[in-house]
Amino acid sequence: MHVGTGIPTARSGVGLALGGGFARGFAHLGVLKVLRQHQIKVSHIAGSSVGSILGAAYASGAPLERIIEACRSLRLRHIARWRVSRLGLASNQRLGVLMERVFGSRQFEDLQVPLAVVATDLSTGEPVVFTQGNLVDAIRASCAFPGLFAPVEIGTRCLADGGLVAPVPTRAVRGLGAKTVIGVSVGMQDGHRGAPTNIFQVVSRAVSAAQKHQLEVWERHADLVLRPDVQSLAWDDFSRVDEAIEAGAAAALRAIPRIVKLPEQNMDEEMPLEARMFLEQRSEICSTEVQP
């Protein structure tokens, strides 16, 4: 089975690109909640890091309220299994168990909404976009933040956090066939000034500095970018899920007048040109045999 070779289709609604940010990513749930309240259909989703987890949960058809309740009880220990190695401080294998408990889907083909999950190939530095096959492994790879979690091997590739190359994966959701794209950026910067005090702050600030140079690249693939006010939340503030959700909801509510004015969706059967170009490029660099 080849990764990233599914055929994009044109559908109505908006495509969401959900970025990474650990506990800050709970803001994505607030955005989803407001879109649902205003009957704005989500036609496609792409996620990097925590955005891939929450995007997959929503795409599975799991009730949003159940996803939120599961997040309220989530702690880092439910994801990380501390096992210091040369490649990371922990494994994120427990993430697969958590995902099955919350929304049950194991394959992209089981999802109700088309989903793309972005990871980073550590050998080439290129993005790898998953749209088919094993969902759990793809998400584990997308969430393998360097230094904290060991990389995930899929086929012949050694993969890490998708946020390294796609802080907000707008191009990936456009490639699925979405004509209108909303990006949700929660950022990785820890919000503290002065010298870093631990290894995670060192790595996260380095990643944030590198991502600043990618802002123009990914933002030009979005029709609208939402930036929930979550700067006061630390990466591991999992107990503050409701604050993050409220911040996401507030950002979405402010943007509703603009969202409802976004261009009408492409209802033609023909695949959008940019989707075809995306597919061709991804097929060249992302196709790989996945081990059963």
Side-chain angles (χ1 to χ4, degrees), residues 3 130 137 152-159 288-292:
V3 174
F130 294 90
D137 287 349
V152 174
E153 293 185 5
I154 300 181
T156 60
R157 297 182 184 275
C158 183
L159 303 172
T288 182
E289 291 296 331
V290 178
Q291 300 298 321

Side-chain angles (χ1 to χ4, degrees), residues 6-7 14 41 52-53 57 61 78 81 98 112 114 130 166 174 186 188 236 239 244 250-251 254 257-258 267 278 281:
I7 303 300
V14 299
K41 179 182 177 182
S52 71
I53 301 175
H78 299 142
R81 179 181 181 184
L98 175 67
Q112 296 183 15
F130 294 90
R174 185 78 74 183
V186 295
M188 272 302 305
D236 58 349
S239 63
R254 289 193 297 270
R258 296 178 62 187
M267 297 300 292
F278 176 92
Q281 293 171 357

Side-chain angles (χ1 to χ4, degrees):
M1 180 191 63
H2 294 279
V3 174
T5 57
I7 303 300
T9 57
R11 299 176 58 169
S12 62
V14 299
L16 285 184
L18 306 179
F22 281 86
R24 291 179 173 184
F26 293 137
H28 297 322
L29 298 173
V31 173
L32 288 165
K33 187 175 181 180
V34 168
L35 293 180
R36 186 185 64 175
Q37 289 172 344
H38 287 79
Q39 299 182 334
I40 297 171
K41 179 182 177 182
V42 176
S43 62
H44 307 78
I45 302 175
S48 292
S49 197
V50 67
S52 71
I53 301 175
L54 300 178
Y58 191 81
S60 74
L64 187 56
E65 291 74 15
R66 178 151 62 90
I67 299 172
I68 291 174
E69 283 304 314
C71 289
R72 285 184 175 132
S73 62
L74 181 65
R75 297 295 182 268
L76 185 60
R77 66 178 180 274
H78 299 142
I79 299 174
R81 179 181 181 184
W82 300 107
R83 188 177 62 186
V84 178
S85 71
R86 292 178 298 172
L87 300 179
L89 299 176
S91 164
N92 65 6
Q93 288 183 337
R94 290 178 175 173
L95 182 56
V97 177
L98 175 67
M99 290 164 49
E100 290 183 10
R101 178 170 61 84
V102 175
F103 55 89
S105 301
R106 292 191 59 87
Q107 302 289 320
F108 281 87
E109 291 79 4
D110 297 333
L111 301 174
Q112 296 183 15
V113 177
L115 174 74
V117 171
V118 183
T120 301
D121 188 325
L122 292 180
S123 297
T124 65
E126 296 287 348
V128 177
V129 181
F130 294 90
T131 59
Q132 291 182 331
N134 190 297
L135 180 61
V136 173
D137 287 349
I139 293 177
R140 284 188 57 229
S142 185
C143 294
F145 191 79
L148 178 60
F149 294 118
V152 174
E153 293 185 5
I154 300 181
T156 60
R157 297 182 184 275
C158 183
L159 303 172
D161 198 302
L164 300 175
V165 290
V168 181
T170 49
R171 189 178 180 193
V173 74
R174 185 78 74 183
L176 283 176
K179 182 178 180 182
T180 300
V181 173
I182 298 175
V184 186
S185 175
V186 295
M188 272 302 305
Q189 183 61 41
D190 55 45
H192 296 91
R193 298 184 181 275
T197 59
N198 56 60
I199 186 173
F200 185 84
Q201 288 185 3
V202 171
V203 176
S204 65
R205 292 186 189 186
V207 169
S208 294
Q211 288 176 343
K212 288 181 180 179
H213 299 287
Q214 301 180 32
L215 294 179
E216 181 180 348
V217 175
W218 69 260
E219 284 194 4
R220 71 167 176 254
H221 291 281
D223 297 286
L224 178 65
V225 178
L226 305 182
R227 295 184 176 84
D229 183 8
V230 289
Q231 298 307 303
S232 65
L233 274 66
W235 70 276
D236 58 349
D237 274 338
F238 292 100
S239 63
R240 299 173 66 184
V241 57
D242 287 322
E243 292 178 55
I245 292 174
E246 289 175 7
L253 280 171
R254 289 193 297 270
I256 284 296
R258 296 178 62 187
I259 293 174
V260 297
K261 293 180 181 179
L262 289 174
E264 291 294 323
Q265 304 311 300
N266 187 356
M267 297 300 292
D268 297 330
E269 291 299 324
E270 181 182 359
M271 185 190 306
L273 174 61
E274 187 163 5
R276 294 199 302 271
M277 294 174 60
F278 176 92
L279 179 60
E280 292 170 358
Q281 293 171 357
R282 291 304 102 209
S283 295
E284 291 176 1
I285 70 171
C286 297
S287 293
T288 182
E289 291 296 331
V290 178
Q291 300 298 321

